[in-house]
Amino acid sequence: MTRFTQLLLCFFLSIPLLAQIQKRPLNASDYDRWQSVRAEKISADGQWISYQIDRQEGDGRLEVASTSGGNQPRYSFARGYMAQFTPDSKFLVMRLKAPAADTRKAKLKKKKPDEMPKDSLVALNLATGKMVRFASVKSYTFGKDGGSWLAVVQERKDDPSRPAPRAATQTQKDTLLPSAPISTTTVATRRGPSKRPKGDDLTLLNLADGSRKTFRYVSNVAISDNGQKVFYSKESAADTLKASDNAVPGVFLFNTANGQTMLVDTSSKRRIYKGLAIDKVGDQVAWMASADSAGADVKVFTLYYKSLAAPTVSKGKKSKSAEPEAPYRVLADTTLKALPKGWSVNEFREPKFAEDGKRLYFSTSPIPPKPTKDTLTPDDEKVKMDIWTWTDTRLQPMQQRRLKEEKERGFLTLADLTTGKVTMLANREVPTVAFDPKLNSRYLLGLSDLPYQVQASWDPGHTDLYLIDTQTGEKKRIANDVMASQPKLSPGGQYAYWFDERDSLWRAWSIAENKRIDLTRGLPSKFFDEEHDTPNLPGAYGSAGWTTGDRYLWLYDRYDIWQVDPTGREKPTNLTAGWGRKNGVRLRYADMGEDDSPGPGFGRSAPDKPIDPKAEVFFTGIWESDKSTGILKSKNGLSALEPTTLKRSNHRYFGLNKAKNASTMTFYRGNFQEPINLFRTDSTLANPVQLTRVNPQQDSIRWGSVELVSWLGTNGVKLEGLLYKPEGFDPKKKYPMLTYFYERNAETLNDYKAPAPSRSTINVAYCVSNGYLVFIPDIVYTTGQPGPNAYDCIVPGVLSLIDKGFVDRDRLGIQGQSWGGYQTAYIITRTNLFRAAEAGAPVANMTSAYGGIRWETGIVRQFQYEKTQSRIGGTLWDKPMNYIENSPLFFANRIQTPLMMTHNDADGAVPWYQGIEFYSALRRLNKPVWMLVYNGEGHNLTQRHNAKDLSIRLYQFFDYYLKDAPMPLWMKEGRTAVEKDRGEMKYGLAVEPQQISSGGSN
């Protein structure tokens, strides 16, 4: 062997070693480019798949792939999102975001919102690759079931050199196809200079032949499901109704079949048009209009309707002006006898046609009184105050949080289009009525929590259920004061059904037989959460939904799916033949509906569309023993059959999706070591094809592994948790370890942990990549002792890992946020095991927190301590010692562990005065404590730049205590108000901030 050959051989043999040596730890600069795949779409014929690959920050892209393989084209669009295939599977329409760099430049120049860079739009011919582009796009739509026309709304750009139209009274020849014998339109206007008409530009593009129609000053657009009719409106400027320059205000209909535009309604008395609705086939339209200007304090709307199928329809009231009678019908206005006096159409809820076109759903509400304006009292002398009264059904903060909702509240009302009868379905006593326009049932389900709103502050969830007769408006109470989970109406409208938490039964109300049915009484299974550990009633595992024709209801227990016949003629059947319980697998029905935001869930808990039991039924499963997941299938759901496992591995499978008219399917898969990617397959799942490979940069970064660990808690309970280890882990070495927790997390064993800035908690991938072990233990609770329960589960788990020999006992950190932050604060009052602790938004004093407000909702926090997560199980006056003994504040003098806290001043869940109480106590006791307060931020950080900042400081804190890194300046010197005013950030370790970009010591 020559010397050259020896050297060459040594070089190739050393490549794996070099690759390993060249791997580096994650740092803060890696976050922005980390990718995720989402928003997959499959064309109806199964021949095309689109999906987004988005960066955490910066420009992403949209990919379009053919499922045919071979030399079929593949398309990629920078910044593409919100993509949709046309019903014929021939085109893909998507929006393109403005370049992130352009948007940032505009922000630096302090551009106004209307001057910021705008989205554009692309319509792609999938067969030829030809594209049509539109700039400054605000929205787009097309028929969801058919048609070749695309409606694109673009922001209007007026020529600044063109003068605004002069207002004058004139008569203009109508150039549109009239909906009735209207040959002229008289438009009365004010004299003098006028504003430009409102609205944007609407372009209708025929994707089939490229022809276009353009309309200016359009404010609203709707298109029929079959794509054959486009309904749109135009508004006038507030002080003009000039009928020139294509700015006639009104509502119009474009017929794609003949290319003609119909003037449906226009009037000098109507200034605002909104709430356009068109039925499925485009034969009926409805709209709302008001004579008031857009700036009016109180606007009163009228609901109009027109049938396009019939040549003759009832006419509305004749205007006092010279306008001809309009060929439409007034469905609802202030004179309608079906409405209470002083009520009108609600402008904030759009009308909806029922699927069969025989009904129109809309909302009504009282006309608010015109606000009185005090012009004689200066603003600084006006009284501003609230009155809190013991009889208030809702606390004042809750009323304030719901102010907009209450001001815009509408009550569901129904117009029978065959008879013209209008019926109020909701009212002040039963304000909530659920409806689905796809269903045609006579009865709807109403809900009212009004009698229980006071007690909801400490005992939420009570409600009354009603059946609402859509023909008469009659309301019949079918359940009184129930703790009802998931009350719904069956798809066929034959049953109302719910889970009654009081006795853990699924119940239904048979509308035909007018009786209640106990669906699960006597069944040898538990349909409530068997692992429930809070002092309130356990909820249900949920339902998969109803089979076609309301024949059966499919219900979940912990492991299996049961088929229940609501008529009682057939005994309930365990559809999965007990296979789930026997094998410890939690089975759930996989609904194939598309999901724009796929997550770690397993299908929808209760899809609205009925299940076809004769078709192949897919399930997702979690194997409890090793937390592996998979996809399973059963031939049909009519009889008890053990499912067949198609896929099972140490991955997380989710987001199962199927083409409408083909066997093409997609799913997501990933685990801690493999980024989540999208796969294509068919109904056999036999040979899945990986469509994406996101985050290839991970190959050059030190990563790690995760394993399931178990131990025995101090309370004698066998517990599980997750242990994340750095890449190249050596059990003979000792590693620093961070412990993070939040109730139970063992089932997340196969979740991918993407590197990302911290919103409130440590990032597992970052910590492991930088040499930390990360331990995430499960916690099992009893009532009244949440702090001791956490100690009894967490500390023994940490000690069990120390006993294994690879954990450095002197370099232990603990971190938690919110409920985890509270437990962190509690645990360091009980032990000095940890060298450093970080608590995000902790409750320090349960006695003061008990009566505090969750400001994001306005509700009082009492329920949380008595019934839910805090688990005290009684009032402050019933169990005062439990509140004190579980509060870290009262034992702050015992703490020896340096503590960093994060508590933001706009926290809407845990009031930030809880952090202040704890900080003040530790400061007085001369304990090392820091509290980071991000101004204007809530319970978790939402602004990315703040999250990046927290990430740097969080790891600097732990690196200082657990890795002997230098103390950062902000820990040593703090940050004065003057330094904050000057914008000084103080990241450094006696060097410049930009040299510490990784957030840790080098």
Side-chain angles (χ1 to χ4, degrees), residues 77-99:
F77 295 87
R79 308 182 310 283
Y81 76 117
M82 287 182 64
Q84 293 186 74
F85 289 102
T86 54
D88 60 8
S89 301
K90 294 180 179 179
F91 298 89
L92 180 72
V93 185
M94 76 199 78
R95 294 179 69 150
L96 303 181
K97 291 181 182 179

Side-chain angles (χ1 to χ4, degrees), residues 768-800:
V768 174
S769 181
N770 282 272
Y772 285 101
L773 295 167
V774 177
F775 176 44
I776 304 181
D778 278 0
I779 305 171
V780 176
Y781 297 93
T782 58
T783 298
Q785 298 294 318
N789 291 156
Y791 177 91
D792 290 342
C793 296
I794 294 168
V795 172
V798 174
L799 294 175
S800 72

